[in-house]
C-alpha cells in the first residue's frame, strides 16, 4: 500500500532533508516502494557499496539510485535538487529560470533553465488518465502577438487544443492541453482521442474540424455561437485559455519557444489540476515520485542543440 509521506511545512522540509543521506533515503523509498529490486535479475535485496551504489548479491550488478531518473549524472547535491522541487511546487504559479537561479544561488542561468525543463518532464504522470464525463473542447492560439482563433498560417503562433471537464455546479474539473499542427478534422480528432475517453460528451463549437467526433465514439454536442448576449458558448475552455495565456506572459514573460511549448503546457496542466490541493507538500511528493519514474533527459536534448 502506498503511504504518502511528505513534509507539510517548510520547517518540516528543512529538518527532514538536511543531508544527502536523508534525500537519498527518500528517493529510495519512492523508487523502490516495495524494496529494492535488481533491474538485471529481479533479486529483492542489495548491498550498498562505499560509493553509494546498490550491488545485487545475486548477479553482482551495481545500480545507482539516480540512474534512469531525472537526477541521473547530476553533479549537484540532491539537497539542492530537493530545494528546487520544493520551491517549484510551493509557488502557486510556478517559477522562471531566473527566479530559480536566484533562490538556489545557482551560478548559471542555464543550469536553472535546464532543471526547470527536467522537472516539467516529471510533471506528466506516465499513463495518465483521459478526461471523462462532460468535456468542453476548443482550440486557441498561443504565443502570437494578436489574439485570434484558428490562426491558420499566423506567424509565431501555435495552436493548442484545450479540453476541460465540466463538473456542473462544481465548475471546472481536470484539464488537458495538447499542441496541434492545424485545425483540421484529422488533427483535432487525434487530439481529442488522446485527451478524452471515448463515450464522453464532448461539447465544441460548430467548426467543421470537429465533425468526425461522433464517428470516433463520442457523444458530440455542438454549441452554436451567437447567444443573446454574445456570450462565449464554451465558457470553461475560454476561461482556461485566458489563464494559460496570462501564465505564459506573467511567469514566463512570454519567453516560450514553440519547440518547448509542450513542456510548459504539461507544467500548466500539472499546476491547474492540483490547484485545489490543500497541501503543497503533496505536490512535492508527487513530483519527486514522478521524477524517479521517468526516463532521464540530457540538457543537450532539452535545448535541442541551441542556446536558450
Ligand atoms: Zn541482480
Amino acid at each position: 500500500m502506498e503511504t504518502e509521506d511528505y513534509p507539510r511545512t517548510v520547517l518540516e522540509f528543512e529538518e527532514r532533508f538536511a543531508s544527502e543521506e536523508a534525500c537519498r533515503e527518500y528517493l529510495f523509498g519512492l523508487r523502490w516502494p516495495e524494496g529494492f529490486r535488481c533491474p538485471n535479475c529481479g533479486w529483492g535485496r542489495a548491498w550498498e557499496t562505499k560509493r553509494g551504489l546498490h550491488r545485487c548479491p545475486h548477479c553482482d550488478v551495481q545500480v545507482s539510485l539516480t540512474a534512469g531518473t531525472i537526477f541521473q549524472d547530476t553533479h549537484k547535491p540532491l539537497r539542492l535538487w530537493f530545494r528546487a522541487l520544493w520551491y517549484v511546487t510551493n509557488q502557486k504559479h510556478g517559477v522562471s529560470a531566473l527566479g530559480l537561479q536566484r533562490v538556489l544561488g545557482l551560478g548559471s542561468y542555464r543550469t536553472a533553465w535546464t532543471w526547470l525543463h527536467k522537472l516539467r518532464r516529471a510533471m506528466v504522470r506516465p499513463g495518465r488518465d483521459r478526461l471523462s464525463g462532460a468535456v468542453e473542447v476548443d482550440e486557441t492560439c498561443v504565443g502570437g502577438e494578436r489574439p485570434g482563433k484558428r490562426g491558420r498560417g499566423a506567424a509565431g503562433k501555435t495552436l493548442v487544443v484545450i479540453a476541460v471537464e465540466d463538473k456542473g455546479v462544481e465548475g471546472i474539473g481536470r484539464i488537458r492541453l495538447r499542441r496541434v499542427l492545424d485545425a483540421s478534422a484529422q488533427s483535432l480528432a487525434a487530439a481529442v482521442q488522446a485527451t478524452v475517453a471515448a463515450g464522453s460528451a464532448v461539447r465544441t463549437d460548430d467548426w467543421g474540424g470537429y465533425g468526425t467526433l461522433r464517428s470516433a465514439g463520442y457523444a458530440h454536442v455542438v454549441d452554436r455561437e451567437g447567444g443573446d448576449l454574445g456570450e462565449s458558448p464554451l465558457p470553461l475552455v475560454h476561461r482556461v485559455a485566458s489563464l494559460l495565456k496570462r501564465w505564459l506572459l506573467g511567469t514566463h514573460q512570454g519567453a516560450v519557444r514553440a519547440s518547448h511549448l509542450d513542456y510548459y503546457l504539461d507544467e500548466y496542466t500539472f499546476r491547474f489540476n492540483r490547484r485545489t490541493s490543500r497541501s503543497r507538500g503533496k505536490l512535492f511528493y508527487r513530483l519527486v515520485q514522478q521524477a524517479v519514474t521517468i526516463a532521464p533527459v540530457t540538457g543537450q536534448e532539452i535545448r535541442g542543440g541551441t542556446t536558450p
Side-chain angles (χ1 to χ4, degrees):
M1 196 192 76
E2 185 186 46
T3 52
E4 297 190 337
D5 166 24
Y6 51 84
R8 260 73 177 173
T9 65
V10 67
L11 274 183
E12 277 183 33
F13 173 87
E14 290 297 345
E15 279 163 18
R16 177 147 186 197
F17 300 115
S19 70
E20 287 298 286
E21 186 54 36
C23 298
R24 290 177 57 82
E25 209 170 280
Y26 194 69
L27 285 188
F28 187 97
L30 286 175
R31 183 160 187 198
W32 292 297
E34 274 134 51
F36 177 85
R37 186 133 312 262
C38 173
N40 188 44
C41 74
W43 199 251
R45 246 198 336 227
W47 306 112
E48 200 166 337
T49 71
K50 280 182 188 143
R51 290 171 52 226
L53 298 172
H54 300 278
R55 188 170 69 80
C56 171
H58 192 247
C59 73
D60 232 25
V61 83
Q62 297 196 351
V63 185
S64 150
L65 171 64
T66 55
T69 75
I70 68 162
F71 308 109
Q72 179 173 312
D73 301 326
T74 186
H75 300 298
K76 301 280 191 214
L78 285 173
R79 272 171 301 154
L80 201 56
W81 272 102
F82 272 50
R83 272 145 189 79
L85 282 146
W86 181 261
Y87 186 62
V88 161
T89 46
N90 275 270
Q91 300 296 309
K92 191 165 179 231
H93 298 291
V95 56
S96 66
L98 196 59
L100 186 69
Q101 186 194 356
R102 283 179 183 151
V103 161
L104 297 185
L106 291 168
S108 121
Y109 173 83
R110 174 177 282 207
T111 301
W113 187 91
T114 306
W115 280 26
L116 280 179
H117 268 283
K118 289 189 178 195
L119 294 179
R120 271 180 203 115
R121 290 179 197 223
M123 288 180 183
V124 184
R125 189 158 52 85
R128 63 181 168 184
D129 316 329
R130 288 178 291 173
L131 304 184
S132 58
V135 180
E136 270 187 17
V137 175
D138 201 1
E139 340 85 59
T140 192
C141 278
V142 167
E145 301 281 297
R146 287 165 292 127
K149 253 194 107 183
R150 295 198 166 109
R152 280 160 289 178
K157 288 197 175 197
T158 308
L159 204 55
V160 173
V161 168
I162 300 179
V164 181
E165 280 178 341
D166 180 355
K167 293 290 189 188
V169 290
E170 291 169 47
I172 294 177
R174 296 171 301 166
I175 64 166
R176 293 281 183 264
L177 305 172
R178 201 169 179 88
R179 188 170 53 88
V180 286
L181 291 177
D182 52 42
S184 67
Q186 197 187 5
S187 297
L188 294 178
V192 171
Q193 283 173 313
T195 52
V196 184
S200 304
V202 177
R203 198 161 68 238
T204 70
D205 61 18
D206 57 4
W207 174 250
Y210 292 108
T212 62
L213 289 185
R214 194 170 293 274
S215 60
Y218 297 95
H220 185 203
V221 183
V222 177
D223 246 320
R224 284 172 212 289
E225 283 180 80
D228 291 348
L229 300 165
E231 279 173 7
S232 159
L234 300 166
L236 306 184
V237 165
H238 292 150
R239 170 137 184 77
V240 171
S242 76
L243 290 170
L244 169 67
K245 288 173 194 186
R246 205 182 303 162
W247 180 74
L248 288 169
L249 286 172
T251 302
H252 302 291
Q253 271 128 48
V256 172
R257 284 222 315 258
S259 57
H260 293 131
L261 183 66
D262 289 345
Y263 303 108
Y264 288 90
L265 298 181
D266 287 341
E267 177 179 356
Y268 191 78
T269 303
F270 178 85
R271 291 187 185 285
F272 190 92
N273 288 345
R274 290 162 184 81
R275 68 197 180 283
T276 57
S277 179
R278 278 188 305 275
S279 169
R280 310 310 287 181
K282 189 165 180 171
L283 267 70
F284 167 81
Y285 169 84
R286 280 276 168 254
L287 196 54
V288 181
Q289 187 182 46
Q290 288 170 201
V292 295
T293 51
I294 65 154
V297 57
T298 66
Q300 191 64 35
E301 285 169 313
I302 289 171
R303 288 189 295 275
T306 49
T307 312

